[in-house]
Every structure is written in C-alpha cells, then in structure tokens.
Amino acid sequence: MTLRVAGHFGEWLQGRLGPGGPLVLVTVPCAALAVDAGPGGTPFLPAAVRARFAAALGRPLPRVALRAAMPPGGGAGASTAALLALARAAGGPDRPEALARACLAAEGAVDPLMFPDADRLLWAPRAARVLRRLPPAPAVEVVGGFWGPPEATAPADLRFPDVADLVAAWAEAADAPARAALATESARRTDALRGPAGDPMPGLAADLGALGRIRAHTGSARGLVFAPGTVPDGAAAALAAAGLQGVLRFRTGGGA
C-alpha cells in the first residue's frame, strides 16, 4: 500500500507580523507535488528527526521508502509531507493539531499540510499554531519551477520582512488579481531582504502577462499566477529557458 501526502509550492505571503512579531505565512497548496510512502527501504529523513517525531507521536515509525516529487530545500514541503506520510503509515494520530505539534518537535518548523484548508490559515510555522482563519483563496493556475540553490529551513531564522500590512489587506482582497498583487509584494520584499539576486520571475511575469508571482520565501520554488484558462502558450518553455528546473503547472485555491 502506498500513502501520498501533498506538498505546497511556496507561499502567498510570508514574513513577520509586525517588526518584532511572529513569523507567519499563507501557504499555496500543490497536489502536483507529493511524498509517497511505500513498503521497504529506509526513510530519507535524518535518524534524529525520525526519533524526535516518533517520541512526539508516542509510537514507533514503520520502515517505509519515501519518494518525494519535490527537491529538498525547494520550499515545497518535502520534510513536513514526509513526516505526515510516516505518521499515517504508523496509524495516526488524525488530529491536525497533534500532527503539527509532532512535526514541530521533530524539526523546529512546520508547514500546515496536515490541515485540509491550509490556504485559509494564517499559520505560525515556528509555533505550529493557527493565528486566524482567512477568507478562501481564489482559484488560480500556477506555472512554476525551481530556481536558484536549495535552502533548508533554519528554525532560528527570523530575518524576514514585515508583512502585517499585507496580512490585513489579504482579508479584504477577494479576487485573484488583488491576491496576486499582494503575493507579488510579499515576494518582492523577500527578494530585497534575502535574495538571491538575478531572479528572472519579475521579468517573466511582465512578459507573460501574469497576475502576479509567488515564491518560496525559504527555498527555490518560484511561480507565476494566472486566472484559470489564461496561461499563455509557451509559458512553461519560457520558464525552462530562463533556467527554472522541474517546471510544472497546477491549479490551486477555490477549494482545489
């Protein structure tokens, strides 16, 4: 039997909730990228991470092979998805809050992949807490890939821009263009603070007429946001030509 746990593809928003506030994010669910767990083999997660996770769950973890469709350090949720796959293979628990706490104990940071409506949560990844619920994310199509070096999440890293104003505006922005504009501003602030330099996505967004762009605020995932059915021909080829790896196209939001 194979278990599959979907990842995400960067964030709509990520940063500090005020200059000294907690780190928060709004994730971009992505069913096209997942971790599969099957019989046999050795998990790719470090032994210490597995041990902490098993202790937090209060049960032993089975020996299963984990196969991730996303690269490590890509900002697509590979480690959280892998831990959730192990938890399911071990027989629970089912409550997302308990799973989130166990993932936090294992790695010190966690994506909200255990929640069925993850993109409706203002999530504190260093505390495994839902800070508030948000209006539904609009249905969009994303064309993206992975650009630049991988970047593993460092739990003590809080060098992110202030996005309190973007979070406040997010609740009022009801449609895809408005949300995409906020996501673009969040990406721009992280570009300026954290880099890396030379990101081709702003130019590609303008050339291809995208509503906006998203990025992994830690990691290499980069994407362009379009209204459903409006992705221009050649968009994937343009991203590949600009140096993005693993180019993909997926729908997210709108209950997808």
Side-chain angles (χ1 to χ4, degrees):
M1 178 181 178
T2 299
L3 298 169
R4 169 164 286 198
V5 177
H8 67 116
F9 195 79
E11 297 83 28
W12 288 104
L13 308 174
Q14 183 167 330
R16 305 290 294 273
L17 195 60
L23 184 66
V24 299
L25 61 82
V26 181
T27 196
V28 180
C30 178
L33 296 175
V35 171
D36 292 317
T42 302
F44 64 72
L45 293 166
V49 171
R50 299 197 308 270
R52 290 193 295 268
F53 190 58
L57 288 178
R59 66 187 69 200
L61 300 178
R63 293 180 64 84
V64 295
L66 296 172
R67 294 170 294 277
M70 65 285 266
S79 60
T80 295
L83 290 172
L84 295 178
L86 285 175
R88 290 184 186 177
D94 295 326
R95 291 189 300 112
E97 295 82 3
L99 289 167
R101 288 193 297 270
C103 290
L104 183 70
E107 294 202 290
V110 56
D111 294 308
L113 305 181
M114 62 291 299
F115 290 88
D117 56 351
D119 56 355
R120 295 193 63 179
L121 308 177
L122 182 65
W123 179 249
R126 306 297 197 263
R129 288 198 301 120
V130 177
L131 298 185
R132 71 185 71 154
R133 297 193 63 82
L134 301 167
V140 296
E141 285 190 73
V142 175
V143 180
F146 298 90
W147 177 83
E151 183 182 4
T153 297
D157 180 10
L158 292 174
R159 192 174 65 91
F160 290 86
D162 183 355
V163 294
D165 59 327
L166 303 183
V167 170
W170 187 260
E172 304 299 325
D175 59 14
R179 292 281 180 90
L182 293 171
T184 301
E185 176 59 16
S186 182
R188 187 199 65 77
R189 293 181 190 182
T190 294
D191 292 345
L193 181 64
R194 298 175 65 91
D199 191 325
M201 300 308 286
L204 287 167
D207 292 345
L208 296 170
L211 295 178
R213 61 187 177 97
I214 54 175
R215 64 165 285 175
H217 293 66
T218 301
S220 55
R222 301 289 190 276
L224 300 180
V225 179
F226 297 90
T230 68
V231 176
D233 293 340
L239 268 64
L244 277 78
Q245 304 294 313
V247 174
L248 73 160
R249 177 174 171 176
F250 65 93
R251 290 196 176 209
T252 192

